[in-house]
Amino acid sequence: MLHLCACSTFIFKRGKQRKLNNKQGLLRRCYQCRSRGELGSCKDPFTFNATDVEQEPGVAAIPCASGWCGKVIEGGGTYAIDDYDLAVQRMCVQRGPDDNMDRCANTIYNYKKVYMCFCQGDLCNGTRSWSSAPPMIIILILPLLGVLLQRFRT
């Protein structure tokens, strides 16, 4: 008996994961990678998109059942002179914050002090775009636009 699935289908060929079919479903993806210092492609600024990732070794766009992606920045404390000890990791997390809100904060992860971000959305743990800018910025800009429009009317 053959069962059809409306989700993404993957095959593995010579150790690489290849996407056969991507239908916009409920399953979201997260970037998965880890870099330390200047080595690797996971560090900030993260310059890849969904299609670039397929060509970059060490970086993948993986399906994430929880829908929650994470980014962990380890090291690079207050007294750091360079990024030598700075490690950046992007991954799918098993569950997000209890209040289901995207956020970044200092926390303890694997017994280390880190800066960790949680987000919910397809490939959201890459670089933030203006389309995902916090609503607070828009709220702050609206009154300024109102004042400017009043000055141009007079």
Side-chain angles (χ1 to χ4, degrees), residues 13 25 28 34 47 58 66 79 85 92 97 100-101 109 112 121-122 129 133 140-142 144:
K13 184 177 182 181
R28 294 182 178 145
R34 181 171 172 85
T47 58
S66 70
Y79 303 107
D85 67 338
C92 169
N100 286 326
M101 299 295 292
Y109 177 72
K112 296 177 185 172
D122 193 43
S129 66
L140 293 173
I141 291 175
L142 286 177
L144 179 63

Side-chain angles (χ1 to χ4, degrees), residues 82-99:
D82 56 20
D83 291 342
Y84 175 74
D85 67 338
L86 189 72
V88 176
Q89 182 176 356
R90 299 170 199 275
M91 75 282 241
C92 169
V93 294
Q94 289 182 347
R95 64 176 188 241
D98 292 337
D99 60 0

Side-chain angles (χ1 to χ4, degrees), residues 88-125:
V88 176
Q89 182 176 356
R90 299 170 199 275
M91 75 282 241
C92 169
V93 294
Q94 289 182 347
R95 64 176 188 241
D98 292 337
D99 60 0
N100 286 326
M101 299 295 292
D102 293 6
R103 72 165 52 89
C104 294
N106 290 307
T107 188
I108 304 293
Y109 177 72
N110 288 340
Y111 306 104
K112 296 177 185 172
K113 290 182 181 179
V114 299
Y115 184 71
M116 188 168 195
C117 297
F118 294 98
C119 61
Q120 192 173 27
D122 193 43
L123 301 175
C124 66
N125 62 338

Side-chain angles (χ1 to χ4, degrees), residues 47-76:
T47 58
F48 302 102
N49 61 33
T51 54
D52 295 338
V53 166
E54 295 175 7
Q55 310 302 322
E56 186 64 27
V59 181
I62 62 165
C64 184
S66 70
W68 282 94
C69 302
K71 175 180 160 186
V72 176
I73 302 173
E74 173 187 327

Side-chain angles (χ1 to χ4, degrees), residues 102 122-124 127-135 137-138:
D102 293 6
D122 193 43
L123 301 175
C124 66
T127 303
R128 275 203 180 269
S129 66
W130 280 105
S131 63
S132 62
I137 293 174
I138 295 169

